[in-house]
Amino acid sequence: MLDFAIFAVTFVIILVGAVLYLYPSSRRASGIPGLNPTDEKDGNLQDIVNRGSLHEFLVSLHQQYGSVASFWFGGRPVVSLGSVQQLQQHINPNHSTDSFETMLKSLLGYQSGMGGGATESVIRKKVYESAINNTLKNNFPLVLKLVEELVGKWKSAPDSQHTPLCAHLLGLAMKTITQLALGESFRDDSEVLSFRKNHDAIWSEIGKGYLDGSLEKSSSRKGTYEKALSEMESVLLSVAKERKAQRKQTAFVDALLQSSLTERQIMEDCMVFTLAGCVITANLCIWALHFLSTSQDVQDKLYQELDDVLGSDPISLDKIPQLRYCQQVLNETVRTAMLTPVAARLQGVEGKVDQHVIPKETLVIYALGVVLQDCDTWSTPYRFDPDRFEEESVRKSFCLLGFSGNQTCPELRFAYTVATVLLSTLVRQLKLHQLKGQVTEVRSELVSTPKDETWITVSRRS
């Protein structure tokens, strides 16, 4: 099994953050089939831009060159793996931090470890994951309360009223993340709205602006981004200082304050959790409700499980593992939406996949979006079918990709918990209905999102 925590990263987070900023690289392509650089300076960057996203570029690359393929960023070769079999062969001991944390922190100019090497990086990673787990345990009633407020709002609306999933679920995720991460001061909607303004300004440039180079070419956009980042850092530092003085122990930041992390490191970890946690949670919930609205049979089967396990009681943390079909629904949501379409690792030692040698310090991309819709791995890959996860071979493939089991990224585990609370509360009270004629397209970025607002209608269960 691959010993890594796979998570989505955009092209430039990977390449600028990892290759240009962190590491040197071999200039040899090692004979792996793939594209020659179309530009001496930029390599295949323009090819990626022309395709619209790194995911679409990788789909085309693997269709043309097979499951192990290469391309160029500037004068540096990149290897992409596009099948479960090749990913399973890829053994890389460079796993002291997960790929998402490393790349995102690199882009933000942060340090992944504690400044002392791999051991310190592992310690910091454990502190971060433990803080997320403890925060969920301490604040689970708050998560349930926020979900119940949203479901109550939907329940009181007329049956014919159109409900905007993106707007409502981004709001739910932002409220949940800020209150669990930073404490009760973010129960004030004005604080959440101010925080969201900077959050959105930062996230909107992660990927697009760095992918096509447009951020560096626009002084106004770059100024907006840097101002938002500075203001958000100031807020996080201020919150940490206040919470330390109050000696509270309920929020994510409180758990970090009890560790040996510096003030700066605490701020950085709060930034990563609030940035990533919000977008991942929101989009997992958005896609799950969208897909449920397309299948009354799946809704009815999920309702039956919720009724059998929970009855009329609210969901609790200890009951979540018993909701196996709910887990299948969320797994299939991640797969069908390609929630995290790309991940990466720097090759820690020389490796080999099939007959291809991958030199040390080569950037290796995991083309997860390609693998998640590979017809050799999944039957009818474009169909939303939670029942496929009843098969052990399917669960094993999903685990190999890092989406389940012990290697799951902590932000995704957090998102799964919030989404389970949402589904368990919503599906027992309401039925979801797809709008006729609505076409929902995927925008494959750092986290896959709908290209446009996605609408549904709801009706009460009789």
Side-chain angles (χ1 to χ4, degrees):
M1 181 178 292
L2 295 176
D3 191 8
F4 54 79
I6 292 182
F7 207 70
V9 285
T10 57
F11 179 67
V12 169
I13 290 177
I14 298 169
L15 296 176
V16 175
V19 177
L20 298 182
Y21 181 77
L22 288 178
Y23 301 101
S25 176
S26 167
R27 298 180 64 86
R28 296 174 58 248
S30 303
I32 295 174
L35 293 173
N36 292 321
T38 54
D39 182 90
E40 183 178 350
K41 179 181 178 182
D42 293 334
N44 298 113
L45 176 58
Q46 190 58 49
D47 297 323
I48 297 168
V49 173
N50 291 343
R51 285 288 177 180
S53 71
L54 177 59
H55 166 66
E56 294 299 333
F57 170 80
L58 293 175
V59 169
S60 175
L61 180 74
H62 286 290
Q63 284 176 345
Q64 185 172 359
Y65 294 103
S67 56
V68 183
S70 65
F71 62 96
W72 293 78
F73 184 77
R76 300 171 183 270
V78 181
V79 175
S80 179
L81 306 179
S83 79
V84 170
Q85 290 74 25
Q86 275 64 45
L87 286 170
Q88 191 172 9
Q89 291 179 49
H90 183 232
I91 299 172
N92 182 4
N94 182 19
H95 57 264
S96 59
T97 59
D98 70 69
S99 57
F100 179 76
E101 177 202 10
T102 300
M103 306 309 170
L104 182 54
K105 284 188 174 181
S106 296
L107 178 64
L108 295 168
Y110 298 164
Q111 188 177 53
S112 292
M114 299 173 73
T119 301
E120 288 77 9
S121 296
V122 172
I123 293 172
R124 185 171 178 182
K125 179 183 177 182
K126 288 182 178 179
V127 168
Y128 181 81
E129 293 181 349
S130 177
I132 292 177
N133 293 337
N134 289 334
T135 298
L136 273 173
K137 291 178 183 177
N138 293 334
N139 294 279
F140 190 81
L142 175 58
V143 176
L144 182 58
K145 175 178 176 291
L146 293 172
V147 167
E148 287 176 339
E149 288 175 355
L150 177 63
V151 173
K153 180 179 179 179
W154 288 8
K155 193 174 180 180
S156 65
D159 287 353
S160 60
Q161 181 169 304
H162 295 182
T163 300
L165 290 181
C166 296
H168 285 194
L169 296 175
L170 280 169
L172 172 66
M174 184 63 69
K175 287 182 178 181
T176 303
I177 288 290
T178 52
Q179 291 185 41
L180 266 65
L182 306 175
E184 59 272 9
S185 64
F186 283 85
R187 293 176 185 172
D188 185 339
D189 285 346
S190 63
E191 292 288 341
V192 177
L193 290 173
S194 177
F195 193 87
R196 180 172 180 174
K197 180 181 178 181
N198 287 328
H199 180 285
D200 291 350
I202 296 167
W203 197 264
S204 66
E205 293 295 356
I206 292 178
K208 181 184 185 303
Y210 286 95
L211 172 59
D212 57 19
S214 62
L215 184 63
E216 290 297 324
K217 298 174 184 177
S218 173
S219 58
S220 61
R221 278 175 56 191
K222 187 175 182 181
T224 299
Y225 170 80
E226 291 177 344
K227 181 175 182 289
L229 183 61
S230 177
E231 288 181 357
M232 194 161 166
E233 288 179 343
S234 295
V235 169
L236 295 174
L237 287 167
S238 177
V239 168
K241 185 176 181 179
E242 291 173 4
R243 301 289 295 190
K244 184 175 182 179
Q246 296 168 355
R247 297 180 179 275
K248 296 190 175 181
Q249 299 182 6
T250 56
F252 172 77
V253 65
D254 301 330
L256 298 183
L257 286 165
Q258 296 174 44
S259 71
S260 59
L261 296 180
T262 67
E263 185 179 77
R264 176 75 187 182
Q265 290 168 338
I266 291 170
M267 182 278 293
E268 292 174 357
D269 284 354
C270 286
M271 178 71 79
V272 170
F273 181 47
T274 54
L275 277 175
C278 177
V279 177
I280 296 162
T281 299
N283 283 287
L284 177 60
C285 292
I286 290 166
W287 287 117
L289 297 194
H290 164 69
F291 290 130
L292 282 173
S293 74
T294 68
S295 175
Q296 291 300 318
D297 288 342
V298 173
Q299 285 188 61
D300 290 343
K301 188 170 182 178
L302 178 58
Y303 173 84
Q304 190 59 56
E305 177 183 77
L306 294 169
D307 187 56
D308 291 343
V309 175
L310 302 176
S312 59
D313 295 334
I315 184 71
S316 58
L317 267 177
D318 63 299
K319 291 289 186 179
I320 288 178
Q322 299 178 40
L323 299 175
R324 296 186 60 184
Y325 188 69
C326 186
Q327 176 81 22
Q328 290 176 212
V329 168
L330 294 177
N331 287 349
E332 182 67 347
T333 296
V334 169
R335 192 202 64 80
T336 308
M338 301 177 297
L339 189 69
T340 59
V342 184
R345 278 285 184 206
L346 193 76
Q347 188 68 31
V349 297
E350 183 178 284
K352 190 174 183 180
V353 174
D354 291 340
Q355 74 275 23
H356 305 295
V357 175
I358 303 177
K360 180 181 179 180
E361 294 178 346
T362 298
L363 187 71
V364 180
I365 285 182
Y366 308 127
L368 299 180
V370 175
V371 178
L372 289 171
Q373 297 193 341
D374 177 18
C375 60
D376 291 332
T377 305
W378 322 92
S379 61
T380 57
Y382 297 101
R383 178 186 174 190
F384 179 72
D385 179 18
D387 288 342
R388 74 173 75 243
F389 281 91
E390 292 176 359
E391 298 180 19
E392 184 179 355
S393 61
V394 171
R395 294 195 299 271
K396 183 178 179 181
S397 294
F398 200 67
C399 186
L400 283 170
L401 298 177
F403 292 119
S404 64
N406 294 332
Q407 299 302 321
T408 308
C409 179
E411 293 89 358
L412 186 59
R413 285 201 299 269
F414 180 92
Y416 263 68
T417 301
V418 176
T420 301
V421 175
L422 176 64
L423 296 187
S424 69
T425 305
L426 179 64
V427 172
R428 284 188 290 167
Q429 300 183 53
L430 298 170
K431 290 185 177 182
L432 312 177
H433 308 281
Q434 184 181 31
L435 293 189
K436 292 182 179 180
Q438 178 178 246
V439 177
T440 302
E441 298 183 30
V442 179
R443 179 187 287 116
S444 298
E445 296 180 339
L446 176 64
V447 176
S448 292
T449 63
K451 285 187 176 180
D452 301 298
E453 178 61 86
T454 300
W455 302 82
I456 63 169
T457 60
V458 300
S459 61
R460 292 179 182 239
R461 283 194 173 271
S462 56

